[in-house]
Amino acid sequence: MPAPLRAAVSDAAWLRGMLEAERALAVAEAKAGLISQQEADAVVEACGRSYDVEALAEEGRRVGNPVEPLVRALRATADRAHWGATSQDILDTAMALVAREAKQLVDAELDGLAAACARLAEEHRHTVMAGRTLLQQATPITFGLKAAGWLTGIVQARDVLATAELPAQLGGASGTLAAMGERGLDVGKLYAEDLGLSEPAVPWHTMRVPVTVLGARLAIAAGAVDKIALDVQLLAQTEVAEVREPADGSSSTMPHKRNPVGSSLARACALTARGAAGTLLAAQAQEHERAGGAWQAEWGALSEALAATGGAAAWMRETLEGLEVDAERMRTNISPDALSEAARFGFEPAGPQDYLGSTDALIDRALAEYRR
Amino acid sequence: MPAPLRAAVSDAAWLRGMLEAERALAVAEAKAGLISQQEADAVVEACGRSYDVEALAEEGRRVGNPVEPLVRALRATADRAHWGATSQDILDTAMALVAREAKQLVDAELDGLAAACARLAEEHRHTVMAGRTLLQQATPITFGLKAAGWLTGIVQARDVLATAELPAQLGGASGTLAAMGERGLDVGKLYAEDLGLSEPAVPWHTMRVPVTVLGARLAIAAGAVDKIALDVQLLAQTEVAEVREPADGSSSTMPHKRNPVGSSLARACALTARGAAGTLLAAQAQEHERAGGAWQAEWGALSEALAATGGAAAWMRETLEGLEVDAERMRTNISPDALSEAARFGFEPAGPQDYLGSTDALIDRALAEYRR
Amino acid sequence: MPAPLRAAVSDAAWLRGMLEAERALAVAEAKAGLISQQEADAVVEACGRSYDVEALAEEGRRVGNPVEPLVRALRATADRAHWGATSQDILDTAMALVAREAKQLVDAELDGLAAACARLAEEHRHTVMAGRTLLQQATPITFGLKAAGWLTGIVQARDVLATAELPAQLGGASGTLAAMGERGLDVGKLYAEDLGLSEPAVPWHTMRVPVTVLGARLAIAAGAVDKIALDVQLLAQTEVAEVREPADGSSSTMPHKRNPVGSSLARACALTARGAAGTLLAAQAQEHERAGGAWQAEWGALSEALAATGGAAAWMRETLEGLEVDAERMRTNISPDALSEAARFGFEPAGPQDYLGSTDALIDRALAEYRR
Amino acid sequence: MPAPLRAAVSDAAWLRGMLEAERALAVAEAKAGLISQQEADAVVEACGRSYDVEALAEEGRRVGNPVEPLVRALRATADRAHWGATSQDILDTAMALVAREAKQLVDAELDGLAAACARLAEEHRHTVMAGRTLLQQATPITFGLKAAGWLTGIVQARDVLATAELPAQLGGASGTLAAMGERGLDVGKLYAEDLGLSEPAVPWHTMRVPVTVLGARLAIAAGAVDKIALDVQLLAQTEVAEVREPADGSSSTMPHKRNPVGSSLARACALTARGAAGTLLAAQAQEHERAGGAWQAEWGALSEALAATGGAAAWMRETLEGLEVDAERMRTNISPDALSEAARFGFEPAGPQDYLGSTDALIDRALAEYRR
């Protein structure tokens, strides 16, 4: 996985998210008149300091979550830190912030991958190759159509992922905002606005549809990438040799080999993303007002789903951007039987290029959908 | 699972879908001038006859899919049946039709469940009970707020499921519509219109984002139901006794027992739906222009995901519709410690009902979101 | 999936298992002196009658499990039926019986598949072909070595599956056998002996290691089959053409195509088995003395895992038994680069057949392990 | 997860494993006469140096695996390093070494947990409490019996895990050991012996039964722990209050709360282990002689499965070791209805302690199985 993605879901990033949540809470509470400006300033100052990520994580493990030790540290100088909030408010909001930042990187990789697919669809609009069903040659297609299909998958996955976002979380101990008296909803609104997160109708401490939606969509995006990686691997086989990966995947002992490293790693990432999303789905049913176990399992799983999906997209973007396409080989690989169907439907094509049906128009449609 | 749901995903329903697809194809092809009206009429007639579901399924298993034997049967009297199509065109379209019909039943159950949640949220707006985090009593809430949280989950799951639909499928052998010459796109448009399905930009034979989106959303909806079932089970415990299920879950040897049968079966359905959705996600990467294995695994998994999600929703709808709520017990169960937090935040509540923060307003927000 | 396997996990088979459990219970109780011989005879007689599977299933759904209505039916003529037992005793024992019967079929298919692999390993001991890593040609192997690797996987999976079995279940309402007074353990012993099932140390109503072990091993066996199917699909590709499946997988519109139907369906079955095993693993943690949901989810999942694993093995056995191997094509497919590594290690092979290292001895070792 | 476990599966541990594999290979090759003693000494020396874990991991990501850059580093001073081996030989062997070391820690935690269960079974042999089915009180049990059930699960899971081990891997480029000429099998034997790993019949580069067996058994062990954690959480509920966790899980704002932190984190670990095992199972089918994606996905998943399973066991061991059991509360919690079944079976117990059937003998059986 790309270093920026790993950084975006690191313990340090989660800590930044928690500090940002605590800061925004204090600011919102001061605006709403719940705490004084001076008290808020102390919190903001404390949130701006740096903390020992490892130590907090270690201590957090002992008490069940890392917010408790962090709050203790903040309160050394800012006794109104975390006023009226519960640990999950801060951690869920940190999760939303981490997810937002990491998702931007994932989106960018998916955009890049879509662009690479679109370019291939356009450039190879007329590059005739064998269609293959159940891994047997069927009627001809063009490589542009294949790339257009890939493009469609990425566009759909990207569009569906785009609307997956985690809202701000603020509910206090049991989700009633009781410790904030009359001002709970005001604080919640200001808090979400400050952070640029959406405000949910009610706290979602144990109603995790947004988390599972995000997790599932990441796995689906990784799956759309996986399909491309699978096709590239198959096309890059020695016996097919219609494409070659750009990456330096040469073998130490077999210099002639050009391993499809990018698509292999993309596939590995897709498997990982799917596993992590499965954990998120399995963790959806959470007890009463805060779960004992299912919630805690989300932290690592969501980080992994984000990083692995971004990793899959990044590997495949790089791979397609530098993909070497052997149009001549594509043409010569086509089996003489490829046109055997044609006669049955009253066609007498001179060659594969004459039995492509609506291929060209379909590519246009995929490109139009992409550019929309 | 309710009988209508099982019927909606039965082999017979799939066969109906296939016949409907073949019928619509012939009609579209006649309209587009690809086959004659008379030829189309023969197909329509053949599609109206009844076929032996079991025999087709058995034979289909031998050749890899049930469309092949069906087409052979249709062609006994209608030789232009399935003209220019591939088996997957018909099966995927049947899958779209089966999913649409079954999803209507699922949607209806989710609607009923949402209505039951909304009624409980309204009726128990002032029914004070213990909030519980990590299964320990925390600050008080109302049962209305708990139901409002449930409602939010169902509304979100329902809304996200509402937009999941499978498009029509028509691509021919390799997805180029070659056997239809110039008329492929016209046929595809008419075909989708006739069936009331959306028309995809390009065939989605191996680009399965729509299938995984549907599968994942079903599992998420089942998970939202699962959360309610879990809470009901916990509240119905002998030692808690705040709710009782309506269903006749009495034990043969222990007549005093009232087993939470509905929520137990809902939870079992949720587990099943999650497993089936996992299979769909695992099957996303499909080879070239038609997959050998991953596609075939979708049929049973999608049927199961639909039936199990509908089953979960149906069980929980029934359960909540008849739920006996013991408001008095809810009140007396509240631990004296429930208000221990209040003093720290400057409150001196006379009782739990005085330390509910924004509970009432939050319920209003959940109901407003539901009624929107 | 083969018809016998589907029958072995059908509702009728589960009903037979329940009747067998009730029968064995009564017989054991009479032997232990808990009920009279006459009372036991009445139960045995009632268990020998036939019941309406569908009606019991439907009614069972309403009350949470099918044993309740069955017991009511038995008691019409045998009032000591089910004496001191709990529904789960009967259902879990039925599950053990169903699993045992179905597993014999699975084992037989795996045995047949192993035999087919062994035959290929022996016959193609000297059939040189390209080794392929990351789907790129590497140094040469023989097809016998590839088949030996397949064999090893099946032998390991079969051996590990062989020891997975479910014990008899008898514990009464809470697992204490209280309703049987002093005679509980005697009854349990006689009951297990009669059924030919192992006797557990304590009831396993909610301690489900045996169920998950069985489920996981089925998925692993299906996965070992899946690896073979994947290789066969890849070798059968038009461009590789080193093997052909025997099955009638010809396409209606493309008569030249020989689809790898067997390996495709085997792969679909493997995906299904994996999903079902995942549900069993997810259902492992069960509450207190009887679970509300997780237990109920096991019934369908275990049936599916058994049938799908057997289905995968059966498809692949048939496929390998009739596999057409093109040794000439294997030889000519080998890339000239296949020997490029050799020089680096001081070898100057005249051809691929001279750079096979320990291939022959490795095949012997795999065959010896198989025959042990 | 405990720090030693995290260390045992860290990148540094994997690197140690790779170096150990390269060292053992050179030593074996010198013994077998394939390379000179001097050449081997140079490799041993190079393997004893320290390397930059991060840099190797980063570079490894680029070329597809971390062995390639490591070998380059070793060859700076030892040109016969990695002689005749393939990257996967080294990485799989490292995986076996990492798994062995981490599994010892897991085993130790499971042993400790079993001991804690056994102690509770013994000590609370006569501590009467409510049996609970579907979360409703049923006939009485003892806490000793419940602990005996937990014990059985851990013993079974531990025993089944004990025999899961990964063999040494040595096959060279395509698994034929060709680059070692006549000496391949000798080297393989010496290599495995030196490392204390079992020697497989044939290379298992793409026959991954051992990996999935290990992964599944880890998830099953985590699931056995999960069942205990679930019961403890339920027993620790405010309204039940029969046990209390020892850990400092007090809430910052609600000092009366004693959160079940240990069981919550154990449950989170179990979810994580299950997800990771799912990834391993999904990765079982691997192409030809080396997989492009599935193999690479195993590294992180196996590390996670090991660490999470060990983490679950460690949390629960600590929790049970310090568990506070309120026998008086257990007794008074028993519902008056708990004995309602007794009369039907001809018993007239004076109290719950008189309706325990074979409870005592069952505890003995579980303890005997444990001590065997």
Side-chain angles (χ1 to χ4, degrees), chain A residues 214-341:
Chain A
L214 175 55
R217 291 180 184 183
L218 287 165
I220 290 168
V225 176
D226 199 9
K227 190 272 185 287
I228 305 177
L230 173 56
D231 279 359
V232 167
Q233 281 188 335
L234 292 171
L235 295 175
Q237 289 173 102
T238 306
E239 298 82 5
V240 180
E242 300 181 0
V243 305
R244 276 163 76 100
E245 280 209 13
D248 178 358
S250 51
S251 156
S252 54
T253 62
M254 290 174 290
H256 66 282
K257 277 193 72 176
R258 177 88 74 92
N259 283 326
V261 168
S263 43
S264 293
L265 294 179
R267 301 208 72 195
C269 284
L271 271 164
T272 302
R274 206 171 288 139
T279 300
L280 293 173
L281 286 164
Q284 190 178 349
Q286 304 200 353
E287 301 94 359
H288 289 317
E289 282 64 64
R290 179 144 334 124
W295 170 51
Q296 293 83 353
E298 289 175 0
W299 312 332
L302 185 61
S303 289
E304 194 165 78
L306 287 160
T309 302
W315 279 114
M316 219 54 221
R317 175 188 54 70
E318 263 185 51
T319 299
L320 290 199
E321 282 174 357
L323 194 74
E324 299 171 22
V325 178
D326 187 337
E328 175 60 15
R329 180 71 184 250
M330 285 181 174
R331 201 178 53 72
T332 57
N333 268 350
I334 299 174
S335 147
D337 293 321
L339 301 178
S340 66
E341 176 198 271

Side-chain angles (χ1 to χ4, degrees), chain B residues 130 132-139 230 233-234 236-240 242 252-261 264 282 333 335 337-341 344-345, chain D residues 130 132-139 230 233-234 236-240 242 252-261 264 282 333 335 337-341 344-345:
Chain B
R132 293 171 177 100
T133 58
L134 283 85
L135 293 156
Q136 298 296 302
Q137 285 205 12
T139 56
L230 172 57
Q233 281 188 333
L234 292 172
Q237 289 174 102
T238 306
E239 299 81 7
V240 180
E242 299 182 0
S252 55
T253 63
M254 290 173 289
H256 65 282
K257 277 192 72 176
R258 178 88 74 91
N259 283 326
V261 169
S264 293
N333 268 351
S335 147
D337 293 322
L339 301 178
S340 65
E341 176 198 271
R344 182 168 147 62
F345 292 101
Chain D
R132 294 173 176 99
T133 58
L134 282 82
L135 294 157
Q136 298 295 303
Q137 285 204 11
T139 55
L230 172 57
Q233 281 187 335
L234 291 171
Q237 289 173 101
T238 305
E239 299 81 6
V240 180
E242 299 182 0
S252 55
T253 62
M254 290 173 290
H256 66 283
K257 278 192 73 176
R258 178 87 74 93
N259 283 327
V261 169
S264 293
N333 267 351
S335 147
D337 293 321
L339 301 178
S340 65
E341 175 198 90
R344 180 168 148 63
F345 292 101

Side-chain angles (χ1 to χ4, degrees), chain A residues 341-352:
Chain A
E341 176 198 271
R344 182 169 146 63
F345 292 102
F347 296 90
E348 297 183 15

Side-chain angles (χ1 to χ4, degrees), chain D residues 17 19 30 37 64 74 129 169 181 222 289 304 351 358:
Chain D
L19 289 167
Q37 188 58 45
L74 294 175
M129 74 187 299
Q169 180 72 281
E289 281 65 63
E304 194 165 77
S358 305

Side-chain angles (χ1 to χ4, degrees), chain C residues 58-84:
Chain C
E58 188 62 40
E59 214 179 331
R61 251 172 239 121
R62 223 171 31 75
V63 297
N65 77 66
V67 175
E68 299 263 341
L70 177 63
V71 169
R72 250 177 292 132
L74 294 175
R75 286 191 178 151
T77 61
D79 60 3
R80 289 281 152 120
H82 195 70
W83 191 249

Side-chain angles (χ1 to χ4, degrees), chain C:
Chain C
M1 299 152 201
L5 257 164
R6 275 177 291 135
V9 301
S10 64
D11 282 357
W14 279 81
L15 176 58
R16 269 200 312 279
M18 290 183 237
L19 289 167
E20 180 66 358
E22 295 284 7
R23 182 203 57 72
L25 177 64
V27 169
E29 289 178 334
K31 276 194 194 154
L34 195 67
I35 65 174
S36 72
Q37 188 57 46
Q38 198 179 351
E39 288 166 336
D41 290 346
V43 176
V44 172
E45 195 278 327
C47 289
R49 286 203 295 272
S50 72
Y51 297 86
D52 182 338
V53 183
E54 298 258 319
L56 287 173
E58 188 62 40
E59 214 179 331
R61 251 172 239 121
R62 223 171 31 75
V63 297
N65 77 66
V67 175
E68 299 263 341
L70 177 63
V71 169
R72 250 177 292 132
L74 294 175
R75 286 191 178 151
T77 61
D79 60 3
R80 289 281 152 120
H82 195 70
W83 191 249
T86 191
S87 296
Q88 191 172 1
D89 290 335
I90 301 309
L91 253 172
D92 278 355
T93 301
M95 181 158 73
L97 295 170
V98 164
R100 182 174 63 187
E101 189 178 329
K103 204 158 77 71
Q104 281 168 357
L105 299 172
V106 175
D107 287 343
E109 294 294 351
L110 289 171
D111 283 345
L113 177 53
C117 291
R119 189 180 54 74
L120 290 171
E122 195 66 87
E123 281 182 24
H124 292 280
R125 182 185 281 278
H126 303 301
T127 306
V128 182
M129 73 187 300
R132 294 172 176 101
T133 57
L134 283 84
L135 294 156
Q136 298 296 302
Q137 286 205 12
T139 55
I141 61 169
T142 67
F143 184 53
L145 181 61
K146 189 184 280 276
W150 297 345
L151 174 62
T152 303
I154 298 302
V155 167
Q156 291 181 9
R158 186 195 62 181
D159 289 356
V160 91
L161 182 59
T163 61
E165 56 160 32
L166 303 182
Q169 180 71 282
L170 194 64
S174 300
T176 63
L177 292 161
M180 300 186 191
E182 305 287 302
R183 307 223 174 86
L185 294 189
D186 291 345
V187 172
K189 191 173 187 304
L190 293 163
Y191 172 74
E193 277 174 8
D194 181 337
L195 295 164
L197 296 172
S198 66
E199 198 196 351
V202 297
W204 49 286
H205 291 135
T206 50
M207 203 291 303
R208 310 302 277 180
V209 169
V211 182
T212 51
V213 163
L214 175 55
R217 290 180 185 184
L218 287 166
I220 289 167
V225 177
D226 199 9
K227 188 273 183 285
I228 305 177
L230 173 57
D231 280 359
V232 168
Q233 282 188 334
L234 292 171
L235 295 176
Q237 290 174 99
T238 306
E239 298 81 6
V240 180
E242 299 182 0
V243 305
R244 276 162 76 100
E245 280 208 14
D248 180 357
S250 52
S251 157
S252 55
T253 61
M254 289 173 290
H256 65 284
K257 277 193 72 177
R258 178 87 73 92
N259 283 326
V261 168
S263 43
S264 294
L265 294 179
R267 301 208 71 195
C269 284
L271 273 163
T272 302
R274 207 172 287 140
T279 300
L280 292 173
L281 286 165
Q284 190 177 349
Q286 303 201 353
E287 301 93 1
H288 289 318
E289 281 64 63
R290 177 143 335 122
W295 170 51
Q296 294 81 353
E298 289 175 359
W299 312 332
L302 185 61
S303 289
E304 193 164 79
L306 287 160
T309 302
W315 278 114
M316 218 54 219
R317 176 188 54 69
E318 264 186 52
T319 298
L320 290 198
E321 282 174 358
L323 194 73
E324 299 172 22
V325 178
D326 189 337
E328 176 61 16
R329 181 69 185 250
M330 285 181 174
R331 203 179 52 73
T332 56
N333 267 351
I334 298 174
S335 146
D337 294 321
L339 300 178
S340 66
E341 175 199 270
R344 182 170 146 61
F345 292 101
F347 296 89
E348 295 183 18
Q353 72 285 353
D354 291 330
Y355 195 62
L356 290 169
S358 306
T359 295
D360 218 41
L362 290 168
I363 294 172
D364 285 337
R365 280 163 42 153
L367 288 169
E369 190 181 71
Y370 164 61
R371 283 166 190 151
R372 204 177 45 210

